[in-house]
Coordinates of all heavy atoms in Angstrom, one line a residue:
L66 N 54.0 124.3 179.6 CA 54.3 124.9 180.9 C 55.8 124.8 181.1 O 56.4 123.8 181.3 CB 53.6 124.1 182.0 CG 52.1 124.2 182.1 CD1 51.5 123.3 183.2 CD2 51.7 125.6 182.4
Y86 N 54.9 127.6 184.6 CA 55.4 126.2 184.7 C 54.6 125.5 185.8 O 53.9 126.1 186.5 CB 56.9 126.2 185.1 CG 57.3 127.1 186.2 CD1 57.4 126.5 187.5 CD2 57.6 128.4 186.1 CE1 57.8 127.3 188.6 CE2 57.9 129.2 187.2 CZ 58.0 128.6 188.5 OH 58.3 129.4 189.6
P87 N 54.7 124.2 185.9 CA 53.9 123.5 186.9 C 54.0 124.0 188.3 O 55.1 124.4 188.7 CB 54.4 122.0 186.8 CG 55.0 121.9 185.4 CD 55.6 123.3 185.2
H88 N 52.9 124.1 189.0 CA 52.9 124.4 190.4 C 52.9 123.1 191.2 O 52.0 122.3 191.0 CB 51.7 125.3 190.7 CG 51.6 125.6 192.2 ND1 50.3 125.8 192.8 CD2 52.5 125.9 193.1 CE1 50.5 126.1 194.1 NE2 51.8 126.2 194.3
F89 N 53.8 123.0 192.1 CA 54.0 121.7 192.8 C 53.5 121.8 194.3 O 53.6 122.9 194.9 CB 55.5 121.3 192.8 CG 56.0 121.0 191.5 CD1 56.7 122.0 190.8 CD2 55.8 119.8 190.8 CE1 57.2 121.8 189.5 CE2 56.3 119.6 189.6 CZ 57.0 120.5 188.9
D90 N 52.9 120.7 194.8 CA 52.5 120.7 196.2 C 53.8 120.4 197.1 O 54.9 120.3 196.6 CB 51.4 119.6 196.5 CG 51.9 118.2 196.2 OD1 53.1 117.9 196.2 OD2 51.0 117.4 196.0
N91 N 53.6 120.3 198.4 CA 54.7 120.2 199.3 C 55.4 118.8 199.1 O 56.6 118.7 199.6 CB 54.2 120.3 200.8 CG 53.8 121.7 201.1 OD1 54.2 122.6 200.5 ND2 52.9 121.8 202.1
D92 N 54.8 117.9 198.5 CA 55.5 116.6 198.2 C 56.2 116.5 196.8 O 56.7 115.5 196.4 CB 54.5 115.4 198.3 CG 53.9 115.3 199.7 OD1 54.7 115.5 200.7 OD2 52.7 115.0 199.9
G93 N 56.1 117.7 196.1 CA 56.8 117.7 194.8 C 55.9 117.2 193.7 O 56.4 117.0 192.6
N94 N 54.6 117.1 193.9 CA 53.7 116.6 192.8 C 53.0 117.8 192.2 O 52.6 118.7 192.9 CB 52.6 115.7 193.4 CG 53.2 114.5 194.1 OD1 54.0 113.8 193.5 ND2 52.8 114.3 195.4
P95 N 52.9 117.8 190.8 CA 52.2 118.9 190.2 C 50.8 119.0 190.6 O 50.1 117.9 190.7 CB 52.4 118.6 188.7 CG 53.0 117.3 188.6 CD 53.4 116.8 189.9
I96 N 50.3 120.2 190.8 CA 48.9 120.4 191.2 C 48.1 120.6 189.9 O 48.4 121.5 189.1 CB 48.8 121.6 192.1 CG1 49.6 121.4 193.4 CG2 47.3 121.9 192.4 CD1 49.6 122.6 194.3
S97 N 47.2 119.7 189.6 CA 46.4 119.8 188.4 C 45.6 121.1 188.3 O 45.0 121.6 189.3 CB 45.4 118.6 188.4 OG 44.6 118.7 187.3
G98 N 45.7 121.7 187.1 CA 44.9 123.0 186.9 C 45.6 124.2 187.4 O 45.0 125.3 187.4
E99 N 46.9 124.1 187.9 CA 47.6 125.2 188.5 C 48.9 125.4 187.8 O 49.5 124.4 187.3 CB 47.7 125.1 190.0 CG 46.4 125.1 190.7 CD 46.5 125.3 192.2 OE1 47.7 125.6 192.7 OE2 45.5 125.3 192.9
A100 N 49.4 126.6 187.8 CA 50.7 126.9 187.3 C 51.4 128.0 188.1 O 50.7 128.7 188.8 CB 50.6 127.4 185.8
S101 N 52.7 128.1 188.0 CA 53.4 129.2 188.6 C 54.0 130.2 187.5 O 54.4 129.7 186.5 CB 54.6 128.7 189.4 OG 54.2 127.9 190.5
R135 N 44.3 128.4 188.1 CA 44.9 129.3 189.1 C 46.4 129.4 188.7 O 47.0 128.4 188.5 CB 44.7 128.8 190.5 CG 45.2 129.8 191.5 CD 44.8 129.4 192.9 NE 45.7 128.3 193.5 CZ 46.4 128.4 194.6 NH1 46.3 129.5 195.3 NH2 47.2 127.4 195.0
V137 N 50.0 131.0 190.4 CA 50.6 131.5 191.6 C 51.9 132.0 191.3 O 52.5 131.8 190.3 CB 50.6 130.4 192.7 CG1 49.2 129.9 193.0 CG2 51.5 129.3 192.3

Side-chain angles (χ1 to χ4, degrees):
L66 289 175
Y86 54 93
H88 178 213
F89 298 97
D90 65 20
N91 292 335
D92 296 323
N94 300 309
I96 300 172
S97 179
E99 295 194 6
S101 295
R135 183 171 82 121
V137 300

